[in-house]
Amino acid sequence: MRALGQFFQGRRRGVSNRKREVWRMSIGQELKKEFSTLTLVLMPIAIGINIVGGVFIVALKLPIYLDSIGTVLVGILAGPWAGAVTGLLANVIWGLTIDPVAFPFAITAFFIGLVAGFLGRAGMFRTLPRALLSGAIIGVMAATVSTPIVVYVFGGVTSSGSTFITAYLLATGRQLIQAVFSSSIISDVGDKLITCLVAYLIVRNLPARLRSRFAQARVLA
Amino acid sequence: MGVAGVDDRVPVLEARDVRFRYAPNLPWAVDGVNLQVFPGEVLGILGENGAGKSTLALVLAGIIPRLLGGEFQGRVMVDGRDMQEFSAGELAGLVGLVLQNPFNQMTGLAATVFDEVAFGPQNLGWPRQVILSEVEAVLDRLGIAHLRNRNPLSLSGGEQQRVAIASVLVMKPRLLILDEPTSQLDPAGTESIFALIGLLRKQGYTTVLIEHKVEAVAEVCDRVLLLRQGRVVLEGTPAEVLGDARVVEAGVRRLLYSELADTVRSFGYAWAAGRMTSYRDTVAVLRELTERG
Amino acid sequence: MHLLTPATKLVGALGFLSLIFLFPWPWTAGIVLAVLSLLAAVSSLWRKFAGIVFRAALPYVLMLLVMQSLFFPGGATPLLRLAWFTVKLEGVMYATVTALRILAMVAVFVLVQMVTHPAAMMADLEQRGLSSKVTYVVVSTLNILPFLMGRAGAILDAQRSRGLETEGSILRRGRALLSLIGPLVVGTINDVQDRAVALELRGFSRTGTRTFLTDTSGPPCDRALRLVMWGLAAVGLLGRVVAWVWPG
């Protein structure tokens, strides 16, 4: 595959040729750096935090999930693709151990990690207001990606209270997709706002020595 | 095992003018270290917290600068060959390093101690039969064969640490570095580890032991270095180094009998003080003193 | 069932899922569910299987039936009237079909999970080319989960004994959450460098062949069965394509 690509590259002329090679090389290198052993060691811990954080939520009887906190953290600290893979695997593992219903939502988790990573790279977790904005962005995105899943796989129902809102909206005559999207927005944005707030506070309070180890976190130092 | 003077053996590991810092705005963690480790010896490294011992361990094991970034100067050589010339594959298993926290050295991948120890050789691509026999052998040699089917994550700290040592030794490294291997263990665990180190020494392994516990170092090491602020400030046999008053400045406690010797000398018994170079001798001398009245 | 290779089971899952969701005939899911239940019964797993499947899917099924029966938009065939709600046939149909689909999907996941050991599955996938990095993350997570749970419990106890308020206003409980999550994250992140070093020392990031100790070949029918499963997946896909090209 790569030989083919280089063959076609050789065909083109001029500076753009070399630029493209450098660009391709640096993406490969970047990915490699993003998935360094350090990141790989962080991921199980992050996935564990996703799952275990729920214990605290239940103990405190808070009305949120907070099941993406680890995913967002990996996105911020290690980069978008690491965050995306973390989210994906987190849902796979959640499906294997706790609730098989989580499998289809691995796509949503993938995007949560991805977007969190890009937002982190753009410095959107440097200040509190920016972090909250990131939470809103991720929340809307999560609702957008999960709505088709909820509609086509689950027929519009979820295991949370947002289904009641969906039902109400249906009763007032809306289409299923609209109803699900509207109710998802409310619950997802709220949850992701809090998730990003917690993530911001955690990253902020990490000792500098730890922060500097991670590929992307140096930006936040 | 003499100290000063010429040693014409080829060192297994040699560090020349090594300097390292984690970031340009931080002080040099290792600031011009020269050291050599000779085959079959047990080298002790003493120093207070922050003297750079753990960083030096990572440097000697080749982890710095390869895995963690930072500014690195100087050369580290194994059997005369610069570490930076080794490929990542060749470097794996070349130098063994055992860290403080036993739990963190369990990969979390293995369901049994056997699999845990086999992890390294598996990565190195050894043939299956060789792996099976080598793992058995090292489990026997370290006295943990009875743990082979246990889950590594459920073992005690001392047991985990022995598994960690086994996991490293099975790859047949040129030398073994132990970075405060007992600092997180209870007394029973500590004792088992030091017994193990004594055993390894008898079997001819080359070892570097970084420790706080001066008595243990005195017991098991052939040579000792004192590290202070990233530099080697004293070098010699355990008795020489730990008897030297300068260790106190470097934040290291002197041996009990050395302190006692000073007291005895100050009472005018210089002849007795001079003979107090080990616990056994100290007891003998004290007995003589009390008999003489 | 247990003897088949994990890869075959995964392809089987893919095949069944494809049938459930892609194949245009709505009652496919019912058939799949029946087949899977049969498999479970034959392997004497029926009780546990049924228990987990129903427990996982029940909330959805119930909500579905209620919601779609009563609130289904559009649809013209009323079945009965309850107060100001109209139960429409289309709604009930839709609810039943979707409920069957959910049940079947959950059944697929549960059955595969019940007959496959995750570590064995990862080892098999790795031998077929899955990156060892992925298998590390999955297996390692599964193994340290109990330990992390323990640590979380310990933090909860420790903070409670320091007077942490777990009741009260939402704001107070929110702040409590921070003082719980904080130690958990920092404690575990501290370990990250150590663990990475330990892995590196054991040659984790070495490229090149790895030796595998376990043998994951299945019985002779395994290969054939896997092809059949691929076939099922293809059938599902083709069915959807056909329906898309020739509607009605």
Side-chain angles (χ1 to χ4, degrees), chain B residues 112-119 121 126-149 162-163 166-167 169-172 203 205, chain C residues 213:
Chain B
T112 62
V113 165
F114 192 93
D115 288 338
E116 178 76 29
V117 176
F119 181 66
W126 290 4
R128 189 163 168 269
Q129 275 308 118
V130 174
I131 295 182
L132 292 177
S133 59
E134 286 294 336
V135 171
E136 282 291 355
V138 86
L139 288 178
D140 276 328
R141 205 177 312 142
L142 298 188
I144 49 175
H146 62 287
L147 297 174
R148 65 197 296 268
N149 287 322
R162 282 191 283 167
V163 170
S167 311
L169 280 183
V170 74
M171 295 190 284
K172 301 207 188 299
Q203 294 176 357
Y205 282 94
Chain C
L213 292 182

Side-chain angles (χ1 to χ4, degrees), chain B residues 158 185-194:
Chain B
L185 303 179
D186 62 12
T190 305
E191 213 184 299
S192 69
I193 295 298
F194 281 120

